[in-house]
Amino acid sequence: MRLELLQLWFKPLPGPRLSQLRPALLAAAQEQAGPGAELLRWAITAAEPVRGLRIEAVLLVGDAPAPPRS
C-alpha cells in the first residue's frame, strides 16, 4: 500500500456541494490510481470564481495487507 496525492479543480453546479463532490473525487481517484484507490482525506484548498474549488486529496493505493493467520 502507498499514499498518493490527488489535485483537481471542481466546478460545482447549483445545489448541495457534497453530493456532487464525493462522486467526482472517487472518479478522479480511480482514473489516476486505478479501481482499487480509496480516498483517505481531502480538503478544499482554494476557491476561485472561474475555476471553482481546488481539491487536494490523499489516496490509499494498493492491496490491503492480508489479515494475520491464527
Side-chain angles (χ1 to χ4, degrees):
M1 296 181 101
R2 70 181 193 281
L3 299 177
E4 193 169 313
L5 177 63
L6 172 68
Q7 299 177 355
L8 68 126
W9 284 95
F10 173 72
K11 184 93 174 179
L13 299 172
R17 305 292 192 261
L18 194 54
S19 62
Q20 297 176 50
L21 182 58
R22 284 186 176 151
L25 277 172
L26 184 56
Q30 291 178 348
E31 182 180 325
Q32 176 176 311
E38 295 181 42
L39 287 168
L40 189 57
R41 294 201 182 265
W42 60 269
I44 298 170
T45 57
E48 294 183 7
V50 175
R51 296 172 84 181
L53 303 173
R54 180 177 170 87
I55 309 295
E56 295 185 26
V58 177
L59 307 177
L60 191 57
V61 181
D63 295 331
R69 295 185 182 190
S70 24

